[in-house]
Amino acid sequence: MLVCCLFLGLAAVSRAQGGGQRMSPADRAKQLQTQLKLTDDQTAKVTAIYTAQATKMDSVRTAANGDRDAMRSAMMPLMQSTNTQIKALLTADQAAAFQKMQDERRARMQQGGGGGGN
């Protein structure tokens, strides 16, 4: 019984740490602010970009009605557009670091490791 309680407790803690949950646009922007040392102005603009993307992606999910291939083909251009808009706000050094993060994330996804919020 004690082992079961311990297991359930560990499962709850791992889920609370973001296991499988999407980050909010504000959280994503704050993460970039930390990783790329964004100014407050840049962070506000990135938050607005991520918020617009989230709204569009929600409508794509609804329209796709569970069709993963349709979602993927509709979301790829949205994600590329979002990344282009964000890069336009960044300094050259920040843009290079952002691109490196995107490349590493893409490599993890191709290896089956998932994209997560990293």
Side-chain angles (χ1 to χ4, degrees):
M1 189 72 159
L2 182 61
V3 172
C4 287
C5 289
L6 179 63
F7 177 73
L8 290 174
L10 289 174
V13 168
S14 68
R15 178 165 299 283
Q17 292 177 344
Q21 296 179 345
R22 279 185 227 116
M23 293 176 68
S24 73
D27 289 341
R28 292 176 69 193
K30 286 209 179 294
Q31 184 180 38
L32 272 188
Q33 182 180 33
T34 302
Q35 292 172 327
L36 301 177
K37 297 176 178 48
L38 302 181
T39 65
D40 289 342
D41 184 52
Q42 286 175 312
T43 304
K45 290 176 181 176
V46 168
T47 301
I49 291 168
Y50 278 147
T51 300
Q53 178 198 37
T55 302
K56 290 175 187 172
M57 284 191 162
D58 284 343
S59 63
V60 166
R61 278 187 200 92
T62 302
N65 203 23
D67 182 350
R68 288 189 166 273
D69 290 331
M71 274 194 295
R72 187 180 358 255
S73 64
M75 286 186 182
M76 287 304 291
L78 280 176
M79 290 188 296
Q80 290 170 344
S81 172
T82 298
N83 290 341
T84 300
Q85 291 175 53
I86 290 172
K87 283 181 194 174
L89 299 173
L90 304 176
T91 66
D93 290 341
Q94 290 170 329
F98 181 74
Q99 185 60 51
K100 182 179 177 190
M101 289 168 37
Q102 296 302 309
D103 293 344
E104 289 170 354
R105 180 173 182 250
R106 191 172 298 113
R108 279 195 311 275
M109 288 179 74
Q110 288 175 349
Q111 293 172 359
N118 296 338

